[in-house]
Amino acid sequence: MTAAQMAESDFMSGMDVRIIRALQIAPRASFAAIATALELPEAAVRRRYRRMRADGIIRVAGVLDPGALGQSKWLVRLRCRPGAATAIADALAERPDVSWVALVAAGSEVTCAVRSRTDRDREDLFHRLPRTAAVIDIQACAMLHQFVGGRGHYWAALHGILTPAQETLLGSTGSPFTEYPIVARTPFTLTTEDEQILDTLAQDGRAALVDLAAAAGLTPGRAARRLDALLENRVVNIDIEIAAARFGYRARANLWLRVHPSAVKTVGRALAAEPEIGFVAALSGPHNLHAVAHCHTLDDLFEFTSDRIGALPGLQTMEVSPLTRHVKQAGTLLSGERLTRSTH
């Protein structure tokens, strides 16, 4: 779907899509600043944002990146016994260190992203899973490099919704993607006040400084400095969660790619620029790239994977695994097509 089609979608109004794009660029910008950039009444921006949030269309949340704390991130595939996958997926989704959960393969496989803050938490989860009788097989892959998703993620489907001048007013640098190391060379040390700020941001990424200060027992000035430190050190990403199905993207799939080692970076960056791709990372294990695709229909998914991804130089094999149920994304639970609540 092109930017123009997004703006004219039957599922969302053009104004709503422009507000979402503005939030992608400046998630903590005031309603007044967004209204000025979009040339809209401030009251209308505030009202539409609150309606979209209440309707489960979008959610702004602070998502902790364990890589800044010196921890690795993992993707896990679980093959489950018939009838057991749903319960396992729901249980995993309630864990704060599991940030993304989906049922695939007609409900017999669970895919999840593990972002534990300590080695002990991750080892505890990996120790428990194989001992669950309903789990037939487990495959865990470390994320080696993230091309898109999280901090710096401007979903390519929204490119062109705003004019370059509007994006500049909101603080855009003109670069749609920013790649960061998966694990920081020097781990960041959190204070008790930082933890309280992170807890508040997990519930509302747009929480006002006075609310962050009250939660952490700090003055607004000190809270602002701690927030700046958390953002600058990439400890937290202010993420704009979007219920993709509300835009008509109802055919979603995990893509597991095996690419020639010399082409991993090229293919990863090419995928990141595709409007249908919401996440792509290089992995350890039998598949060295993983991506999540959002398409309107299975036919669109077929055309996208066969014509555009299939033609990428260096691609050796590709497994397309449609999602049968999306349970959690970036720390937010989903109920049908609605974003519901944080599990932090």
Side-chain angles (χ1 to χ4, degrees), residues 192-272:
T192 301
E193 292 79 12
D194 291 337
E195 296 276 11
Q196 292 162 333
I197 289 173
L198 290 170
D199 287 345
T200 304
L201 289 173
Q203 301 304 320
D204 181 6
R206 289 178 55 81
L209 278 176
V210 290
D211 296 323
L212 298 178
L218 300 172
T219 64
R222 288 188 62 195
R225 288 191 290 275
R226 292 313 303 166
L227 176 60
D228 287 343
L230 292 171
L231 292 171
E232 288 170 8
N233 287 278
R234 301 189 295 277
V235 177
V236 65
N237 163 47
I238 308 300
D239 194 69
I240 311 305
E241 284 300 298
I242 302 172
R246 304 293 284 272
F247 290 94
Y249 290 91
R250 293 195 167 90
R252 292 159 288 175
N254 282 329
L255 308 180
W256 302 94
L257 288 73
R258 186 177 290 112
V259 175
H260 190 279
S262 65
V264 171
K265 284 186 179 180
T266 302
V267 173
R269 288 168 181 161
L271 288 172

Side-chain angles (χ1 to χ4, degrees), residues 276-311:
E276 291 84 355
I277 296 296
F279 173 87
V280 58
L283 305 177
S284 64
H287 298 95
N288 50 13
L289 278 174
H290 170 258
V292 179
H294 300 271
C295 295
H296 279 189
T297 66
L298 289 176
D299 189 61
D300 291 337
L301 178 63
F302 169 71
E303 297 290 339
F304 172 59
T305 53
S306 60
D307 293 352
R308 284 153 59 196
I309 298 182

Side-chain angles (χ1 to χ4, degrees), residues 80-104:
C80 306
R81 298 190 185 281
T86 298
I88 291 173
D90 288 339
L92 285 169
E94 290 293 340
R95 290 183 60 109
D97 60 345
V98 174
S99 61
W100 193 91
V101 182
L103 283 164
V104 297

Side-chain angles (χ1 to χ4, degrees), residues 63-69 71 73 115 181-182 234-237:
V63 180
L64 182 137
D65 185 348
L69 307 181
Q71 296 298 314
K73 294 175 277 190
R115 300 189 174 196
I182 286 286
R234 301 189 295 277
V235 177
V236 65
N237 163 47

